[in-house]
Amino acid sequence: MAGLTGCRSSSDTSPNPGQVGLPTDVDSIVFLQRTARSGTGNVFDYTDYKPGGRLVKLSPPSADGKLVNLTDAPMFKDADIMAWDLSFDAKTIVFSARLANESSYHLFLINVDGTNPRQITDGPSHYVYPIFIPGQKVLFTSSKVVEEGAQQFQDEYERATTSQVGVINMDGTNEVLGPRNVSHRVAPALLDDGNVVFTEWRHLGGINDGHLRVMNTDMTGMREAFGGEGKGVTNSYLKARFVTSYMTAAGKKSSRLVTIGTSRDRTLQAGKVLLVDLNDDEAGSKVTDLTPLVPGDKERSEKGIGRFYDAEPIGPATDLKFLVSWADGPVQSEILEEAKTKADFGIYVLDGKTGKRFPVWDDPAYWDVAARPIKPRIEPPPAQSPVAQNEKSFILGALNVYESSLTKVEPGSVVKVRLMEGFSSEEGFPNMFGLTEFDGQSRYGEVPVMADGSYAAKVPANVPLHQQLIDKFGLAVANEDIWISGRPGEQRFCGGCHENRSKTTDIKPGTIEAVQRGPVDLDVPRAERQSMDFSYEKIRGVPWDLALQPIFDTKCVSCHDGDATKPGNNTYTIIDKTLGTQQTITFDLRGQKVAIVVGERSAGTEFSASYISVAGLGMELGENVVEIVGDYKGHMKPGEARKSSLIQKLNPPQRFPDVNPAVRAFPGASHPADVGGKELTPEEYYRLILNIDMGGQYFFRENKRGDY
């Protein structure tokens, strides 16, 4: 038996049997032993297969306890196990494993003594992060796709196949997949009210984090919980677990969670142990750092400090004690790879009040992680939303778009809500849609905002969408910085944009104008969600070479042709000190392709001169060390056409309710008419605005596949 290797910090207490801080009613624990790895450290990675993982039980939970391999059946030889959960009666374990002869992770059940192993999923898709939910069901995340005719999304950075939620019966029947996010949904956990908390990769332009969200057990009602409104202390929050419930000042029941706070990548999914009070809404949430010396970002973790991989509450909630996995010293993938070593996670009890760790078990041959006591727990009632039967669409709306805890929008200034679909490189595109940090987007359409501030729309179910409030010029005045998706038949009406969750969303008959008129139907089959007609009524995507380059060719290139001696053609040089290359760029709105030779992602990348000139090379540079010499100007602010100097210079006219050239978005003249050129048409103005508001990318669905 490989047992405890000894204390690893002056704050540790020697491990005497029965004195490691565990409650007296915890007579055994189960945890995972995974083959040590370095990995990429992305908090959303779930397919890092290393053979030799196993699920073990330790009785009593101390260094001299008996360790039993629960997965010693021949079928699990050289398997990897990545997550597990215990049934409410503490008699059954569900876990996700990849067998040695398989290419995917799947779900398995065993009795708590290791008998009767059985597999309940199969096929080419991954099934990971299982948890038991009420009604003899298992909730999981999977790479399987729910939308007919679609492929699963590929995330924005690593282009890994994303994971989405699903539910299945314990006998493997009645599998149901939930709505999708453009990026991953991982690490769900059940709350005592029957809701599920999980981590979602929130990636939309400059937003790039893993925040906590909550949903019902039927995968409806997905809503924000913590991390998205500036209350957080780290970039991402992972492996949240329920600690206790309490009543807020507003008289609402809420939850306290423990979660790991860390950088999105390079930290082996390890970081701080944080206590989060969800309170009434995200703006009022509260976080307590139980391990303040542990880095929450990519900084090196020092000897005696280390990082925590997970935390499980034990004993009375007021005691603030947790079963944790902890590794000493640097726990960053790059540092470990340079040193040709690996992190050593062991099981400890963490006293959240004092910060002391009490060692329980550490086998240096494994990562010892995900420890939990074998104890029954109360099965909560399932949390569900009413779903319209035989309905294939998802209805989304707001009672008042002007109510927001994040953004102040002048009442009456919003004309429509623009709704856009998200997608990624699974559509057949290269890994980069362009030079901005946005995924692909396609316009569903724009829905009028009623006089009372309400709107309602019918959109495709199970497909992520992005909302923007737009004004009479067609310019976005506010962005909802998350993707939203719903199940077929689900109807979700928000009070506003990021409104207080403690308020009741009460729709009284005859009071909401958008409800009276009925939702605007934007739901069309997938094959029809692209268009080569770039008129306002029919435009979907705005491919740079097809929809915008013709505008530049006819109205711009006579002046903006890359000639630095002409007015308005700024020139700058980027010196890439990481690659030892440099590139000079002069403002040029012609359509010829230009190879990019600087920046982290430059290899084999080329876009048109017009696109490079307008978009710039910000994302392309990545983390390379560069120096910019000369007249560098940013002409586009992706996602915000209103703040883009290109749009301000062009100065578009009023678009709604009618085109009015006498009313302009900005003070002063419009270009190129101010220098004797031909002014853009209302349709051309709108194409440019829409492209930038949708992220300023080069490729859209309308581009021919393979023709890059």
Side-chain angles (χ1 to χ4, degrees):
M1 179 184 74
L4 190 75
T5 59
C7 304
R8 296 188 285 185
S9 165
S10 59
S11 64
D12 294 343
T13 300
S14 297
N16 296 320
Q19 296 181 7
V20 293
L22 287 166
T24 56
D25 61 344
V26 177
D27 56 13
S28 61
I29 62 173
V30 169
F31 56 92
L32 291 181
Q33 290 192 316
R34 303 189 77 187
T35 301
R37 59 202 72 200
S38 54
T40 62
N42 188 323
V43 298
F44 305 102
D45 285 345
Y46 58 87
T47 60
D48 188 14
Y49 170 79
K50 300 286 184 185
R54 58 186 191 169
L55 192 66
V56 298
K57 181 164 67 173
L58 180 64
S59 307
S62 62
D64 60 352
K66 181 181 179 182
L67 192 73
V68 176
N69 181 7
L70 301 179
T71 51
D72 62 352
M75 65 187 295
F76 298 119
K77 179 178 171 53
D78 291 330
D80 178 41
I81 302 174
M82 58 80 59
W84 73 282
D85 194 31
L86 182 67
S87 63
F88 300 105
D89 60 7
K91 295 180 179 179
T92 307
I93 290 172
V94 63
F95 61 94
S96 171
R98 177 180 161 183
L99 303 183
N101 60 344
E102 298 289 342
S103 59
S104 301
Y105 286 81
H106 282 287
L107 304 186
F108 297 81
L109 295 174
I110 58 170
N111 296 339
V112 77
D113 61 0
T115 60
N116 192 24
R118 60 267 194 204
Q119 183 172 341
I120 63 172
T121 63
D122 57 22
S125 300
H126 294 290
Y127 290 78
V128 292
Y129 291 112
I131 63 169
F132 287 102
I133 61 172
Q136 298 293 297
K137 296 179 181 293
V138 173
L139 185 142
F140 55 86
T141 66
S142 175
S143 61
K144 194 171 183 178
V145 66
V146 60
E147 186 188 7
E148 184 177 351
Q151 299 181 61
Q152 191 56 276
F153 297 123
Q154 305 293 316
D155 69 56
E156 167 68 9
Y157 283 85
E158 287 76 19
R159 295 305 184 193
T161 302
T162 62
S163 54
Q164 316 295 341
V165 292
V167 171
I168 194 169
N169 290 342
M170 287 178 61
D171 62 2
T173 62
N174 196 29
E175 179 183 318
V176 179
L177 296 174
R180 298 191 293 159
N181 174 42
V182 176
S183 293
H184 301 267
R185 288 179 171 135
V186 298
L190 189 65
L191 305 180
D192 74 332
D193 59 4
N195 285 303
V196 174
V197 63
F198 61 97
T199 297
E200 177 171 290
W201 190 350
R202 188 178 66 150
H203 185 268
L204 189 58
I207 300 296
N208 182 16
D209 56 29
H211 65 159
L212 299 180
R213 303 201 80 199
V214 172
M215 65 179 174
N216 301 328
T217 47
D218 64 356
M219 301 173 291
T220 60
M222 292 183 176
R223 53 206 181 274
E224 293 177 299
F226 178 76
E229 290 196 10
K231 289 288 183 177
V233 296
T234 64
N235 172 271
S236 296
Y237 306 89
L238 191 65
K239 310 181 191 106
R241 302 290 291 175
F242 174 76
V243 176
T244 190
S245 58
Y246 62 94
M247 300 301 293
T248 70
K252 300 285 186 178
K253 183 179 178 181
S254 192
S255 296
R256 176 171 294 161
L257 313 174
V258 63
T259 186
I260 300 300
T262 186
S263 169
R264 185 189 64 80
D265 60 0
R266 305 180 189 176
T267 57
L268 305 183
Q269 303 187 350
K272 294 175 172 291
V273 178
L274 303 173
L275 203 62
V276 174
D277 290 346
L278 296 184
N279 290 337
D280 293 317
D281 58 13
E282 189 170 9
S285 59
K286 176 185 175 183
V287 61
T288 302
D289 188 351
L290 300 181
T291 55
L293 297 181
V294 176
D297 53 18
K298 301 175 186 177
E299 287 182 19
R300 178 190 180 99
S301 47
E302 300 298 336
K303 187 71 174 176
I305 303 299
R307 287 176 181 263
F308 293 84
Y309 189 80
D310 51 48
E312 176 73 14
I314 51 174
T318 54
D319 287 355
L320 292 183
K321 289 188 176 181
F322 306 91
L323 267 176
V324 298
S325 297
W326 178 79
D328 199 2
V331 189
Q332 286 88 350
S333 55
E334 290 174 321
I335 296 174
L336 294 170
E337 288 170 358
E338 288 176 5
K340 294 182 171 45
T341 187
K342 292 180 170 61
D344 177 19
F345 288 101
I347 306 298
Y348 289 74
V349 171
L350 172 69
D351 187 330
K353 294 181 178 179
T354 66
K356 289 186 176 181
R357 296 180 304 275
F358 300 85
V360 177
W361 188 271
D362 183 11
D363 187 334
Y366 293 98
W367 280 10
D368 301 303
V369 297
R372 297 175 194 167
I374 301 300
K375 291 180 57 177
R377 55 197 168 110
I378 297 174
E379 181 174 345
Q384 297 180 322
S385 296
V387 174
Q389 299 298 316
N390 303 317
E391 175 61 64
K392 295 183 178 180
S393 301
F394 165 49
I395 295 178
L396 179 69
L399 307 189
N400 184 357
V401 299
Y402 298 106
E403 182 171 349
S404 173
S405 61
L406 287 183
T407 306
K408 281 194 174 184
V409 180
E410 183 181 349
S413 64
V414 178
V415 176
K416 296 186 178 185
V417 177
R418 179 186 292 146
L419 300 176
M420 296 151 290
E421 174 185 1
F423 58 93
S424 194
S425 60
E426 77 286 341
E427 297 275 353
F429 296 104
N431 281 351
M432 291 182 62
F433 285 88
L435 297 173
T436 79
E437 296 190 51
F438 282 78
D439 282 299
Q441 296 193 56
S442 178
R443 173 181 176 265
Y444 283 136
E446 293 163 359
V447 181
V449 172
M450 301 295 106
D452 60 359
S454 64
Y455 92 94
K458 181 184 290 188
V459 294
N462 301 322
V463 178
L465 64 91
H466 170 210
Q467 301 177 90
Q468 288 179 335
L469 306 182
I470 63 174
D471 63 10
K472 63 185 179 181
F473 303 103
L475 295 163
V477 295
N479 270 284
E480 181 76 357
D481 56 6
I482 59 171
W483 296 101
I484 298 175
S485 54
R487 294 191 61 195
E490 184 179 355
Q491 299 186 28
R492 197 181 309 168
F493 279 85
C494 305
C497 299
H498 292 271
E499 85 288 357
N500 191 326
R501 286 199 312 268
S502 66
K503 294 184 179 179
T504 302
T505 304
D506 186 16
I507 303 178
K508 297 179 180 179
T511 60
I512 306 302
E513 189 173 351
V515 175
Q516 292 177 3
R517 298 193 179 203
V520 176
D521 192 351
L522 301 179
D523 190 357
V524 298
R526 179 179 180 79
E528 297 177 24
R529 299 204 295 269
Q530 55 183 300
S531 172
M532 293 300 294
D533 185 337
F534 302 127
S535 64
Y536 170 75
E537 290 76 15
K538 296 184 178 181
I539 192 169
R540 296 279 185 170
V542 194
W544 193 274
D545 55 342
L546 303 176
L548 301 185
Q549 191 59 49
I551 302 174
F552 303 142
D553 290 343
T554 58
K555 297 182 177 178
C556 304
V557 298
S558 60
C559 294
H560 303 295
D561 58 357
D563 185 346
T565 65
K566 293 182 178 179
N569 293 342
N570 60 295
T571 295
Y572 61 94
T573 298
I574 297 177
I575 303 170
D576 190 325
K577 298 181 179 180
T578 301
L579 296 178
T581 58
Q582 69 177 44
Q583 185 162 10
T584 298
I585 297 171
T586 300
F587 192 75
D588 184 352
L589 292 182
R590 293 177 297 170
Q592 77 274 15
K593 293 291 182 69
V594 175
I596 300 172
V597 298
V598 294
E600 187 179 74
R601 302 188 178 192
S602 59
T605 302
E606 61 177 22
F607 291 101
S608 68
S610 62
Y611 183 67
I612 293 172
S613 294
V614 174
L617 294 180
M619 179 182 175
E620 190 77 7
L621 300 178
E623 296 186 8
N624 283 14
V625 178
V626 302
E627 179 184 357
I628 300 178
V629 179
D631 187 16
Y632 177 81
K633 295 178 180 178
H635 300 283
M636 175 202 295
K637 186 172 177 57
E640 297 182 274
R642 170 178 294 278
K643 296 181 180 180
S644 300
S645 63
L646 174 69
I647 299 301
Q648 293 171 356
K649 183 76 172 177
L650 294 174
N651 201 3
Q654 175 180 298
R655 175 83 210 190
F656 308 116
D658 299 299
V659 175
N660 185 352
V663 180
R664 296 283 171 165
F666 307 100
S670 61
H671 189 74
D674 61 341
V675 292
K678 189 175 181 181
E679 185 175 2
L680 275 64
T681 67
E683 298 290 311
E684 292 170 337
Y685 278 120
Y686 185 78
R687 285 184 226 167
L688 281 164
I689 290 170
L690 183 60
N691 177 281
I692 298 174
D693 271 345
M694 288 204 298
Q697 294 287 38
Y698 189 89
F699 293 116
F700 289 78
R701 280 183 176 149
E702 286 72 14
N703 291 103
K704 294 179 181 179
R705 297 189 179 200
D707 184 17
Y708 307 123

mmCIF file with all atom_site columns, all heavy atoms in Angstrom, residues 466-480:
data_model
loop_
_atom_site.group_PDB
_atom_site.id
_atom_site.type_symbol
_atom_site.label_atom_id
_atom_site.label_alt_id
_atom_site.label_comp_id
_atom_site.label_asym_id
_atom_site.label_entity_id
_atom_site.label_seq_id
_atom_site.pdbx_PDB_ins_code
_atom_site.Cartn_x
_atom_site.Cartn_y
_atom_site.Cartn_z
_atom_site.occupancy
_atom_site.B_iso_or_equiv
_atom_site.pdbx_formal_charge
_atom_site.auth_seq_id
_atom_site.auth_comp_id
_atom_site.auth_asym_id
_atom_site.auth_atom_id
_atom_site.pdbx_PDB_model_num
ATOM 1   N N   . HIS A 1 466 ? -27.068 35.579 -29.342 1.00 0.00 ? 466 HIS A N   1
ATOM 2   C CA  . HIS A 1 466 ? -26.482 36.771 -28.739 1.00 0.00 ? 466 HIS A CA  1
ATOM 3   C C   . HIS A 1 466 ? -27.442 37.917 -28.988 1.00 0.00 ? 466 HIS A C   1
ATOM 4   O O   . HIS A 1 466 ? -27.983 38.066 -30.091 1.00 0.00 ? 466 HIS A O   1
ATOM 5   C CB  . HIS A 1 466 ? -25.115 37.017 -29.395 1.00 0.00 ? 466 HIS A CB  1
ATOM 6   C CG  . HIS A 1 466 ? -24.471 38.319 -29.072 1.00 0.00 ? 466 HIS A CG  1
ATOM 7   N ND1 . HIS A 1 466 ? -23.620 38.965 -29.952 1.00 0.00 ? 466 HIS A ND1 1
ATOM 8   C CD2 . HIS A 1 466 ? -24.525 39.109 -27.977 1.00 0.00 ? 466 HIS A CD2 1
ATOM 9   C CE1 . HIS A 1 466 ? -23.189 40.081 -29.405 1.00 0.00 ? 466 HIS A CE1 1
ATOM 10  N NE2 . HIS A 1 466 ? -23.726 40.191 -28.213 1.00 0.00 ? 466 HIS A NE2 1
ATOM 11  N N   . GLN A 1 467 ? -27.680 38.756 -27.962 1.00 0.00 ? 467 GLN A N   1
ATOM 12  C CA  . GLN A 1 467 ? -28.623 39.864 -28.073 1.00 0.00 ? 467 GLN A CA  1
ATOM 13  C C   . GLN A 1 467 ? -27.892 41.208 -28.060 1.00 0.00 ? 467 GLN A C   1
ATOM 14  O O   . GLN A 1 467 ? -26.946 41.400 -27.298 1.00 0.00 ? 467 GLN A O   1
ATOM 15  C CB  . GLN A 1 467 ? -29.592 39.862 -26.886 1.00 0.00 ? 467 GLN A CB  1
ATOM 16  C CG  . GLN A 1 467 ? -30.407 38.601 -26.731 1.00 0.00 ? 467 GLN A CG  1
ATOM 17  C CD  . GLN A 1 467 ? -31.272 38.651 -25.491 1.00 0.00 ? 467 GLN A CD  1
ATOM 18  O OE1 . GLN A 1 467 ? -32.403 39.109 -25.533 1.00 0.00 ? 467 GLN A OE1 1
ATOM 19  N NE2 . GLN A 1 467 ? -30.732 38.186 -24.381 1.00 0.00 ? 467 GLN A NE2 1
ATOM 20  N N   . GLN A 1 468 ? -28.366 42.123 -28.896 1.00 0.00 ? 468 GLN A N   1
ATOM 21  C CA  . GLN A 1 468 ? -27.895 43.504 -28.886 1.00 0.00 ? 468 GLN A CA  1
ATOM 22  C C   . GLN A 1 468 ? -29.094 44.438 -28.935 1.00 0.00 ? 468 GLN A C   1
ATOM 23  O O   . GLN A 1 468 ? -30.079 44.156 -29.641 1.00 0.00 ? 468 GLN A O   1
ATOM 24  C CB  . GLN A 1 468 ? -27.002 43.798 -30.096 1.00 0.00 ? 468 GLN A CB  1
ATOM 25  C CG  . GLN A 1 468 ? -25.625 43.174 -30.056 1.00 0.00 ? 468 GLN A CG  1
ATOM 26  C CD  . GLN A 1 468 ? -24.815 43.486 -31.301 1.00 0.00 ? 468 GLN A CD  1
ATOM 27  O OE1 . GLN A 1 468 ? -25.375 43.757 -32.366 1.00 0.00 ? 468 GLN A OE1 1
ATOM 28  N NE2 . GLN A 1 468 ? -23.498 43.446 -31.188 1.00 0.00 ? 468 GLN A NE2 1
ATOM 29  N N   . LEU A 1 469 ? -29.010 45.530 -28.214 1.00 0.00 ? 469 LEU A N   1
ATOM 30  C CA  . LEU A 1 469 ? -29.997 46.597 -28.333 1.00 0.00 ? 469 LEU A CA  1
ATOM 31  C C   . LEU A 1 469 ? -29.470 47.595 -29.357 1.00 0.00 ? 469 LEU A C   1
ATOM 32  O O   . LEU A 1 469 ? -28.325 48.041 -29.253 1.00 0.00 ? 469 LEU A O   1
ATOM 33  C CB  . LEU A 1 469 ? -30.199 47.297 -26.984 1.00 0.00 ? 469 LEU A CB  1
ATOM 34  C CG  . LEU A 1 469 ? -30.554 46.406 -25.788 1.00 0.00 ? 469 LEU A CG  1
ATOM 35  C CD1 . LEU A 1 469 ? -30.774 47.264 -24.543 1.00 0.00 ? 469 LEU A CD1 1
ATOM 36  C CD2 . LEU A 1 469 ? -31.761 45.541 -26.074 1.00 0.00 ? 469 LEU A CD2 1
ATOM 37  N N   . ILE A 1 470 ? -30.276 47.938 -30.354 1.00 0.00 ? 470 ILE A N   1
ATOM 38  C CA  . ILE A 1 470 ? -29.813 48.846 -31.403 1.00 0.00 ? 470 ILE A CA  1
ATOM 39  C C   . ILE A 1 470 ? -30.701 50.086 -31.476 1.00 0.00 ? 470 ILE A C   1
ATOM 40  O O   . ILE A 1 470 ? -31.889 50.051 -31.148 1.00 0.00 ? 470 ILE A O   1
ATOM 41  C CB  . ILE A 1 470 ? -29.732 48.157 -32.779 1.00 0.00 ? 470 ILE A CB  1
ATOM 42  C CG1 . ILE A 1 470 ? -31.101 47.678 -33.259 1.00 0.00 ? 470 ILE A CG1 1
ATOM 43  C CG2 . ILE A 1 470 ? -28.761 46.986 -32.727 1.00 0.00 ? 470 ILE A CG2 1
ATOM 44  C CD1 . ILE A 1 470 ? -31.083 47.131 -34.677 1.00 0.00 ? 470 ILE A CD1 1
ATOM 45  N N   . ASP A 1 471 ? -30.099 51.189 -31.923 1.00 0.00 ? 471 ASP A N   1
ATOM 46  C CA  . ASP A 1 471 ? -30.799 52.469 -31.976 1.00 0.00 ? 471 ASP A CA  1
ATOM 47  C C   . ASP A 1 471 ? -31.300 52.760 -33.386 1.00 0.00 ? 471 ASP A C   1
ATOM 48  O O   . ASP A 1 471 ? -31.257 51.896 -34.274 1.00 0.00 ? 471 ASP A O   1
ATOM 49  C CB  . ASP A 1 471 ? -29.900 53.587 -31.460 1.00 0.00 ? 471 ASP A CB  1
ATOM 50  C CG  . ASP A 1 471 ? -28.652 53.796 -32.324 1.00 0.00 ? 471 ASP A CG  1
ATOM 51  O OD1 . ASP A 1 471 ? -28.559 53.215 -33.433 1.00 0.00 ? 471 ASP A OD1 1
ATOM 52  O OD2 . ASP A 1 471 ? -27.748 54.540 -31.882 1.00 0.00 ? 471 ASP A OD2 1
ATOM 53  N N   . LYS A 1 472 ? -31.735 53.965 -33.615 1.00 0.00 ? 472 LYS A N   1
ATOM 54  C CA  . LYS A 1 472 ? -32.336 54.329 -34.895 1.00 0.00 ? 472 LYS A CA  1
ATOM 55  C C   . LYS A 1 472 ? -31.334 54.366 -36.041 1.00 0.00 ? 472 LYS A C   1
ATOM 56  O O   . LYS A 1 472 ? -31.720 54.428 -37.210 1.00 0.00 ? 472 LYS A O   1
ATOM 57  C CB  . LYS A 1 472 ? -33.045 55.679 -34.784 1.00 0.00 ? 472 LYS A CB  1
ATOM 58  C CG  . LYS A 1 472 ? -32.134 56.850 -34.452 1.00 0.00 ? 472 LYS A CG  1
ATOM 59  C CD  . LYS A 1 472 ? -32.952 58.126 -34.253 1.00 0.00 ? 472 LYS A CD  1
ATOM 60  C CE  . LYS A 1 472 ? -32.077 59.313 -33.890 1.00 0.00 ? 472 LYS A CE  1
ATOM 61  N NZ  . LYS A 1 472 ? -32.892 60.551 -33.670 1.00 0.00 ? 472 LYS A NZ  1
ATOM 62  N N   . PHE A 1 473 ? -30.041 54.310 -35.730 1.00 0.00 ? 473 PHE A N   1
ATOM 63  C CA  . PHE A 1 473 ? -29.017 54.259 -36.768 1.00 0.00 ? 473 PHE A CA  1
ATOM 64  C C   . PHE A 1 473 ? -28.592 52.826 -37.084 1.00 0.00 ? 473 PHE A C   1
ATOM 65  O O   . PHE A 1 473 ? -27.733 52.612 -37.939 1.00 0.00 ? 473 PHE A O   1
ATOM 66  C CB  . PHE A 1 473 ? -27.802 55.079 -36.333 1.00 0.00 ? 473 PHE A CB  1
ATOM 67  C CG  . PHE A 1 473 ? -28.118 56.502 -36.013 1.00 0.00 ? 473 PHE A CG  1
ATOM 68  C CD1 . PHE A 1 473 ? -28.208 56.930 -34.699 1.00 0.00 ? 473 PHE A CD1 1
ATOM 69  C CD2 . PHE A 1 473 ? -28.362 57.429 -37.023 1.00 0.00 ? 473 PHE A CD2 1
ATOM 70  C CE1 . PHE A 1 473 ? -28.521 58.232 -34.389 1.00 0.00 ? 473 PHE A CE1 1
ATOM 71  C CE2 . PHE A 1 473 ? -28.679 58.747 -36.730 1.00 0.00 ? 473 PHE A CE2 1
ATOM 72  C CZ  . PHE A 1 473 ? -28.767 59.157 -35.403 1.00 0.00 ? 473 PHE A CZ  1
ATOM 73  N N   . GLY A 1 474 ? -29.178 51.853 -36.388 1.00 0.00 ? 474 GLY A N   1
ATOM 74  C CA  . GLY A 1 474 ? -28.789 50.456 -36.567 1.00 0.00 ? 474 GLY A CA  1
ATOM 75  C C   . GLY A 1 474 ? -27.542 50.094 -35.779 1.00 0.00 ? 474 GLY A C   1
ATOM 76  O O   . GLY A 1 474 ? -26.998 49.003 -35.941 1.00 0.00 ? 474 GLY A O   1
ATOM 77  N N   . LEU A 1 475 ? -27.078 50.991 -34.913 1.00 0.00 ? 475 LEU A N   1
ATOM 78  C CA  . LEU A 1 475 ? -25.872 50.779 -34.114 1.00 0.00 ? 475 LEU A CA  1
ATOM 79  C C   . LEU A 1 475 ? -26.222 50.160 -32.767 1.00 0.00 ? 475 LEU A C   1
ATOM 80  O O   . LEU A 1 475 ? -27.197 50.571 -32.114 1.00 0.00 ? 475 LEU A O   1
ATOM 81  C CB  . LEU A 1 475 ? -25.161 52.109 -33.875 1.00 0.00 ? 475 LEU A CB  1
ATOM 82  C CG  . LEU A 1 475 ? -24.588 52.808 -35.117 1.00 0.00 ? 475 LEU A CG  1
ATOM 83  C CD1 . LEU A 1 475 ? -24.296 54.273 -34.803 1.00 0.00 ? 475 LEU A CD1 1
ATOM 84  C CD2 . LEU A 1 475 ? -23.317 52.110 -35.578 1.00 0.00 ? 475 LEU A CD2 1
ATOM 85  N N   . ALA A 1 476 ? -25.448 49.184 -32.329 1.00 0.00 ? 476 ALA A N   1
ATOM 86  C CA  . ALA A 1 476 ? -25.666 48.581 -31.024 1.00 0.00 ? 476 ALA A CA  1
ATOM 87  C C   . ALA A 1 476 ? -25.346 49.594 -29.926 1.00 0.00 ? 476 ALA A C   1
ATOM 88  O O   . ALA A 1 476 ? -24.302 50.241 -29.951 1.00 0.00 ? 476 ALA A O   1
ATOM 89  C CB  . ALA A 1 476 ? -24.802 47.340 -30.859 1.00 0.00 ? 476 ALA A CB  1
ATOM 90  N N   . VAL A 1 477 ? -26.259 49.731 -28.963 1.00 0.00 ? 477 VAL A N   1
ATOM 91  C CA  . VAL A 1 477 ? -26.019 50.610 -27.818 1.00 0.00 ? 477 VAL A CA  1
ATOM 92  C C   . VAL A 1 477 ? -25.757 49.793 -26.559 1.00 0.00 ? 477 VAL A C   1
ATOM 93  O O   . VAL A 1 477 ? -25.311 50.339 -25.541 1.00 0.00 ? 477 VAL A O   1
ATOM 94  C CB  . VAL A 1 477 ? -27.210 51.564 -27.586 1.00 0.00 ? 477 VAL A CB  1
ATOM 95  C CG1 . VAL A 1 477 ? -27.350 52.508 -28.765 1.00 0.00 ? 477 VAL A CG1 1
ATOM 96  C CG2 . VAL A 1 477 ? -28.501 50.802 -27.356 1.00 0.00 ? 477 VAL A CG2 1
ATOM 97  N N   . ALA A 1 478 ? -26.023 48.494 -26.602 1.00 0.00 ? 478 ALA A N   1
ATOM 98  C CA  . ALA A 1 478 ? -25.737 47.613 -25.466 1.00 0.00 ? 478 ALA A CA  1
ATOM 99  C C   . ALA A 1 478 ? -25.657 46.181 -25.964 1.00 0.00 ? 478 ALA A C   1
ATOM 100 O O   . ALA A 1 478 ? -26.385 45.786 -26.883 1.00 0.00 ? 478 ALA A O   1
ATOM 101 C CB  . ALA A 1 478 ? -26.801 47.740 -24.380 1.00 0.00 ? 478 ALA A CB  1
ATOM 102 N N   . ASN A 1 479 ? -24.753 45.408 -25.359 1.00 0.00 ? 479 ASN A N   1
ATOM 103 C CA  . ASN A 1 479 ? -24.569 43.997 -25.695 1.00 0.00 ? 479 ASN A CA  1
ATOM 104 C C   . ASN A 1 479 ? -24.871 43.134 -24.491 1.00 0.00 ? 479 ASN A C   1
ATOM 105 O O   . ASN A 1 479 ? -24.434 43.444 -23.376 1.00 0.00 ? 479 ASN A O   1
ATOM 106 C CB  . ASN A 1 479 ? -23.111 43.729 -26.108 1.00 0.00 ? 479 ASN A CB  1
ATOM 107 C CG  . ASN A 1 479 ? -22.885 43.909 -27.588 1.00 0.00 ? 479 ASN A CG  1
ATOM 108 O OD1 . ASN A 1 479 ? -23.261 43.069 -28.386 1.00 0.00 ? 479 ASN A OD1 1
ATOM 109 N ND2 . ASN A 1 479 ? -22.271 45.028 -27.944 1.00 0.00 ? 479 ASN A ND2 1
ATOM 110 N N   . GLU A 1 480 ? -25.594 42.057 -24.663 1.00 0.00 ? 480 GLU A N   1
ATOM 111 C CA  . GLU A 1 480 ? -25.696 41.024 -23.640 1.00 0.00 ? 480 GLU A CA  1
ATOM 112 C C   . GLU A 1 480 ? -24.486 40.124 -23.859 1.00 0.00 ? 480 GLU A C   1
ATOM 113 O O   . GLU A 1 480 ? -24.392 39.433 -24.882 1.00 0.00 ? 480 GLU A O   1
ATOM 114 C CB  . GLU A 1 480 ? -26.997 40.232 -23.790 1.00 0.00 ? 480 GLU A CB  1
ATOM 115 C CG  . GLU A 1 480 ? -27.200 39.151 -22.761 1.00 0.00 ? 480 GLU A CG  1
ATOM 116 C CD  . GLU A 1 480 ? -27.618 39.673 -21.398 1.00 0.00 ? 480 GLU A CD  1
ATOM 117 O OE1 . GLU A 1 480 ? -27.704 40.895 -21.229 1.00 0.00 ? 480 GLU A OE1 1
ATOM 118 O OE2 . GLU A 1 480 ? -27.847 38.857 -20.504 1.00 0.00 ? 480 GLU A OE2 1
#
